[in-house]
Amino acid sequence: MDEKIEKITKRMKADNIKFIRLQFVDLHGIPKNVSIPCKLGNLEDLFTNGILFDGSSIAGFVGINSSDLVLKPDITTYSPLSWRPEESASCRFICDVYTPDGKPFAGDPRSILKKALAEIKEEGYTYNIGPEPEFFIVDTDDEGLPIPHDNANYFDVEPVDKGTDFRREITTNLEELGFDVEASHHEVGPGQNEIAFKFDDALKTADAVVTFKQAIKAIVANMADFDGLDYRVTFMPKPFFGENGSGMHCHQSLFKDGENIFYDENSEDGLSQEAKWFIGGLIKHSAALTAVTNPIVNSYKRLVPGYEAPVYISYGTSNRSTLIRVPAARGKATRIEYRSPDPACNPYLAFTVMLKAGMDGIKNKIDPGEPIELNLYELSEEELEEHGIELLPSSLWEAYHTFEESELLKEALGEHIFNAFLESKYEEWDEYRVQVFGYEQRKYLNI
């Protein structure tokens, strides 16, 4: 038996694992899994050959006439599921998707990110990313409608902040799953929370985001069931009118030979030329990126001026009103914070397109211009125009039409995912635009 397989088999036996979840994501980043009994004697075949599954039932994968695909577990992603009962202990492996002839499946989001990372690895680069996914804990009112579970504000404490126990339990469970949690706190919106975990290379981080979202939902649901309550978690970008939405700011950096190439101790601002070119690439392609980083109709209820929304295509040093912020830390901690993504995105695809845009900036030496240090929220349309500052797309319709014209993103995602993603956005917009909402009925029914 292979040494790695033998080692993981011993660990699974020690953890008393009874069931194995083989997890992957669909086109939209929604976790999918199949659970199989843990038969220690069969693990070598599982890790070597994987298992067949029907790919025609997964969004964005294949048609019914070519439905067979293969799940192969990534042995390094082993994780016991701390929220499952000990008597039926389960573990999870994240899988890559292959065709039956052993080739990576072109519609597998994880494989697309792996390919992009392999390309920059040939040039000696490592792409690190640290996301900050925000979420709401929601309750229901007497009519069964969702409401925030508290009325607390940014960094509030008990008793106004009712999320303390939730965040403590979530943090404990996440640490058992291998997360290095750096901080947790109440966010600006009522019922809104954030738990920040340490950055890592982009593939591990994308895996972590999927696990993070799944784990938090399960943990809070279990706590609510135990207490006989109806609390649940949502990563919906804008669940409540008039309140701040949930973002997933992405801190990112490039390393080469163990050094952060975004840092230059000899420059006035501590930023290297590569860092500025990377910013230039993100700015140039930001409108097209938005379809992937903010992929649903509701994303654009968050991306409106006001409510601290990062809609202004520009960058600044420590300026939180720009799309891109450069935090003050330098040395190995030098990084770029891209602020528009939200937690509804597929992290594998979002990280891929941000990386490709930034690398295009480096390759073509795209100048981002001078940093903007004004509070852009306070500027008029005329003043924004004077500074040459444009806005991100204001609707999914606008975003996917910009995406459709991007040769860079088509190359980054590959033809299969590019076309499947675009088709799904056309369908989503058509479904949305024909709906009649309560707002319209209340406003127009008496016409």
Side-chain angles (χ1 to χ4, degrees):
M1 183 182 290
D2 178 272
E3 184 178 343
K4 290 182 179 178
I5 298 176
E6 185 176 4
K7 184 177 180 181
I8 202 67
T9 300
K10 288 180 179 178
R11 185 174 174 189
M12 291 170 69
K13 185 175 182 180
D15 290 337
N16 198 30
I17 297 299
K18 299 293 193 300
F19 294 94
I20 302 171
R21 289 189 184 183
L22 302 178
Q23 179 182 302
F24 61 105
V25 300
D26 67 10
L27 175 69
H28 309 297
I30 306 299
K32 303 291 182 179
N33 80 99
V34 57
S35 181
I36 61 176
C38 179
K39 299 177 181 179
L40 297 176
N42 296 340
L43 290 183
E44 186 169 14
D45 181 62
L46 173 65
F47 290 125
T48 303
N49 300 312
I51 65 167
L52 280 170
F53 74 103
D54 175 11
S56 66
S57 298
I58 305 299
F61 274 28
V62 291
I64 199 167
N65 59 320
S66 56
S67 59
D68 283 346
L69 292 172
V70 178
L71 288 178
K72 284 190 179 182
D74 181 338
I75 201 168
T76 67
T77 65
Y78 170 75
S79 180
L81 301 180
S82 56
W83 61 86
R84 299 298 301 161
E86 290 185 11
E87 63 271 15
S88 58
S90 299
C91 72
R92 176 229 63 194
F93 288 97
I94 295 176
C95 299
D96 294 309
V97 184
Y98 289 81
T99 58
D101 60 1
K103 297 179 181 177
F105 171 51
D108 175 25
R110 191 172 193 261
S111 294
I112 292 299
L113 177 57
K114 289 177 71 173
K115 179 183 176 183
L117 295 174
E119 289 172 358
I120 65 165
K121 187 177 181 180
E122 291 182 0
E123 301 176 45
Y125 294 117
T126 301
Y127 179 51
N128 290 331
I129 192 160
E132 299 174 337
E134 297 166 339
F135 59 94
F136 280 82
I137 301 175
V138 300
D139 196 358
T140 53
D141 63 16
D142 294 338
E143 297 179 356
L145 298 174
I147 57 173
H149 90 298
D150 67 26
N151 289 309
N153 208 309
Y154 192 63
F155 273 31
D156 273 347
V157 297
E158 303 115 316
V160 179
D161 174 14
K162 297 180 181 178
T164 306
D165 289 340
F166 287 113
R167 293 195 300 274
R168 184 186 302 114
E169 183 70 17
I170 290 168
T171 297
T172 299
N173 280 268
L174 288 174
E175 287 176 340
E176 290 179 10
L177 287 169
F179 282 79
D180 186 354
V181 175
E182 294 189 319
S184 67
H185 60 87
H186 200 285
E187 260 294 343
V188 175
Q192 189 180 33
N193 294 263
E194 180 180 312
I195 297 175
F197 53 92
K198 191 174 181 180
F199 76 91
D200 209 326
D201 76 78
L203 182 64
K204 290 181 180 178
T205 304
D207 289 343
V209 170
V210 175
T211 300
F212 178 87
K213 293 170 64 176
Q214 183 184 13
I216 287 179
K217 288 182 177 181
I219 293 162
V220 171
N222 284 348
M223 291 178 69
D225 288 343
F226 182 81
D227 293 332
L229 301 171
D230 197 26
Y231 295 140
R232 63 188 186 278
V233 164
T234 180
F235 289 91
M236 181 179 178
K238 184 78 168 184
F240 301 111
F241 171 73
E243 303 293 349
N244 283 46
S246 289
M248 190 176 78
H249 304 165
C250 291
H251 297 253
Q252 43 203 297
S253 58
L254 281 178
F255 276 67
K256 192 171 189 178
D257 298 325
E259 297 297 324
N260 187 335
I261 69 163
F262 283 179
Y263 175 59
D264 182 355
E265 63 179 359
N266 296 315
S267 72
E268 186 176 337
D269 56 8
L271 289 180
S272 68
Q273 187 61 66
E274 287 89 348
K276 293 175 182 176
W277 289 333
F278 197 96
I279 291 171
L282 287 172
I283 287 176
K284 177 181 177 180
H285 299 287
S286 59
L289 294 179
T290 307
V292 181
T293 59
N294 306 85
I296 64 174
V297 165
N298 182 257
S299 296
Y300 299 86
K301 304 294 177 72
R302 167 181 170 255
L303 290 182
V304 294
Y307 305 106
E308 300 185 5
V311 297
Y312 303 106
I313 303 176
S314 55
Y315 83 102
T317 56
S318 300
N319 186 351
R320 296 177 186 272
S321 66
T322 53
L323 171 62
I324 298 172
R325 183 176 79 95
V326 182
R330 291 294 179 265
K332 286 188 176 291
T334 307
R335 61 195 186 275
I336 294 164
E337 180 187 12
Y338 195 70
R339 296 171 57 79
S340 67
D342 66 51
C345 73
N346 181 333
Y348 300 105
L349 300 186
F351 296 174
T352 298
V353 296
M354 286 190 291
L355 171 61
K356 284 289 189 175
M359 293 306 296
D360 184 58
I362 291 177
K363 177 182 177 182
N364 292 297
K365 300 181 179 180
I366 298 173
D367 182 6
E370 293 299 315
I372 301 292
E373 305 303 345
L374 300 169
N375 183 350
L376 300 180
Y377 299 142
E378 297 178 347
L379 299 188
S380 65
E381 290 185 14
E382 292 77 13
E383 289 172 321
L384 290 170
E385 189 174 341
E386 286 176 10
H387 286 89
I389 297 172
E390 298 181 352
L391 273 65
L392 290 177
S394 60
S395 69
L396 180 63
W397 183 92
E398 186 181 346
Y400 71 64
H401 278 290
T402 308
F403 170 86
E404 189 174 23
E405 300 300 319
S406 174
E407 290 299 322
L408 179 84
L409 298 197
K410 186 173 185 178
E411 185 275 332
L413 298 176
E415 191 169 336
H416 182 111
I417 286 183
F418 183 87
N419 290 334
F421 184 85
L422 190 58
E423 182 181 352
S424 75
K425 295 302 107 177
Y426 271 96
E427 291 176 357
E428 183 178 349
W429 181 256
D430 281 345
E431 179 184 25
Y432 171 71
R433 71 183 181 86
V434 300
Q435 299 296 317
V436 178
F437 299 99
Y439 164 82
E440 297 166 274
Q441 294 172 333
R442 290 189 300 272
K443 190 172 180 68
Y444 304 120
L445 202 60
N446 291 326
I447 289 178

